[in-house]
Amino acid sequence: MYHRHLSVASCGLTLAFALLVSIVSFTTLASTSKFNYLPENEINYVQVDDQDYPILLRPWQGNKKLGLAIIVPGLGLSPDEGGFTAYLRRKLNKAGWATLAITPPQRPGMPNYTTQAVHVANAGEKQLSQQSNQAMPVFSEEQQTLNIQRQQSFFISSMSQLDSLGKQFQGKRLLISSDDSAGIIIELLKDNKLPMPDMLAIINPYNDNPSQNQALAAQLAELTIPVLDIQSRDGTSASLATQQSRFDLSPQNAPFRYHQYKILLDLQHKEGWSGGLKMIEGFALRINKAYPNR
């Protein structure tokens, strides 16, 4: 009887182990096959908190070799997410830039406000303090701070590993960041928490936190590197809200420090993508001419 029980237990352990191995194998396969439409030499990884995150690297094409463009999509997006940033990832190579697109941190999951059935009939303990014309905050102030710290930590950890991936591409470092990722990148650069690029291009920058979004223009004005500020007319209301202040607070009489342009970048206006590409190419060429590679 003892041997019979031992055999059943061993069988159960074997099945459990086999299931675990199959789950791990499936997860690994899923993560590696996500970009199976790309050449293998484009796919690299950085490790953050013991997890691998894909980094997509494309070499420059042709004789022009200006440097490395690091592309940061909006939070929660793929490094090859369809749209303007994926377009840049493929088109800047012919303009003399190797491109390195990173995986940004995730947006925080939405909190669950489900009320348990036993509490439905209970009277509320507090009245809402929110004004009737104001949106209910999604996260508490403490949770917002924690979310931002996690996202910042992710960027700091992942971007500190990029030197080894891009070291073969000598020249300038052009950082291109979009949407809510751009809002975080600006603050991190202002606080010297990220390696400083030679030039920065931002596309529809904003921050989900209203107070931090208001501070974005002043943070941007503190940067001493050349900045290209692209604002799409169909960008988020948060990015449109700071567009004028970003321009007003920019350094005056400093032609190589700040440029702002307004274009259309949505899927219905793909001609805007080529226009945006030319803006970035021209900006990079002007800066490279003013401060040539040594």
Side-chain angles (χ1 to χ4, degrees):
M1 183 65 72
Y2 172 78
H3 290 291
R4 185 179 178 184
H5 281 300
L6 181 60
S7 176
V8 171
S10 299
C11 183
L13 287 172
T14 303
L15 285 172
F17 180 74
L19 180 60
L20 177 61
V21 169
S22 66
I23 291 173
V24 171
S25 300
F26 176 78
T27 303
T28 305
L29 180 62
S31 62
T32 55
S33 64
K34 183 177 180 181
F35 299 104
N36 58 8
Y37 59 91
L38 296 175
E40 282 189 22
N41 61 355
E42 284 192 20
I43 307 169
N44 299 270
Y45 294 90
V46 295
Q47 193 170 81
V48 180
D49 296 331
D50 297 323
Q51 291 189 24
D52 289 335
Y53 294 91
I55 301 286
L56 304 182
L57 179 63
R58 279 173 61 89
W60 44 43
Q61 298 173 5
N63 295 325
K64 191 184 295 184
K65 299 178 179 179
L66 300 178
L68 178 69
I70 300 166
I71 300 175
V72 187
L75 297 181
L77 298 182
S78 159
D80 201 35
E81 191 81 21
F84 185 49
T85 52
Y87 176 82
L88 292 176
R89 192 180 83 79
R90 290 166 171 81
K91 295 296 184 180
L92 280 171
N93 310 116
K94 295 180 180 178
W97 294 94
T99 57
L100 195 159
I102 75 169
T103 298
Q106 294 294 312
R107 292 187 178 95
M110 296 297 289
N112 185 355
Y113 293 117
T114 303
T115 302
Q116 298 295 325
V118 295
H119 299 306
V120 169
N122 293 351
E125 296 180 1
K126 294 182 180 179
Q127 296 296 317
L128 293 175
S129 59
Q130 200 75 12
Q131 297 296 319
S132 60
N133 63 345
Q134 294 179 338
M136 179 73 71
V138 176
F139 298 102
S140 67
E141 188 173 337
E142 293 78 10
Q143 188 61 52
Q144 281 183 333
T145 300
L146 181 61
N147 291 338
I148 292 168
Q149 288 174 347
R150 287 172 176 167
Q151 291 162 347
Q152 289 181 339
S153 177
F154 187 101
F155 271 129
I156 292 169
S157 179
S158 63
M159 296 184 76
S160 67
Q161 303 174 55
L162 301 185
D163 276 348
S164 60
L165 290 174
K167 64 183 178 182
Q168 59 182 306
F169 303 105
Q170 298 300 310
K172 293 281 193 299
R173 293 296 182 259
L174 166 61
L175 179 56
I176 304 172
S177 186
S178 304
D179 304 320
D180 40 5
S181 284
I184 298 173
I185 293 289
I186 290 168
E187 183 173 1
L188 289 174
L189 289 174
K190 188 266 295 183
D191 292 336
N192 294 311
K193 292 181 179 180
L194 288 179
M196 194 65 66
D198 296 293
M199 56 192 101
L200 173 68
I202 51 176
I203 304 164
N204 297 334
Y206 74 93
N207 196 300
D208 269 329
N209 184 301
S211 61
Q212 288 189 305
N213 197 54
Q214 290 178 0
L216 188 149
Q219 293 170 349
L220 187 62
E222 288 188 43
L223 300 183
T224 58
I225 56 175
V227 175
L228 173 66
D229 185 350
I230 296 177
Q231 178 66 57
S232 175
R233 284 178 286 172
D234 57 301
T236 64
S237 58
S239 67
L240 289 166
T242 65
Q243 176 190 332
Q244 189 60 47
S245 58
R246 295 189 327 252
F247 179 81
D248 292 341
L249 293 179
S250 66
Q252 300 299 309
N253 301 317
F256 297 110
R257 283 283 304 280
Y258 181 88
H259 298 268
Q260 186 182 99
Y261 293 100
K262 290 175 268 189
I263 56 176
L264 278 172
L265 291 173
D266 66 9
L267 293 173
Q268 302 302 317
H269 299 85
K270 289 190 178 181
E271 65 275 9
W273 295 6
S274 59
L277 173 67
K278 290 176 182 176
M279 288 177 188
I280 293 175
E281 287 181 15
F283 165 72
L285 285 173
R286 286 195 303 273
I287 302 305
N288 204 48
K289 186 176 181 180
Y291 308 100
N293 294 331
R294 297 186 183 276

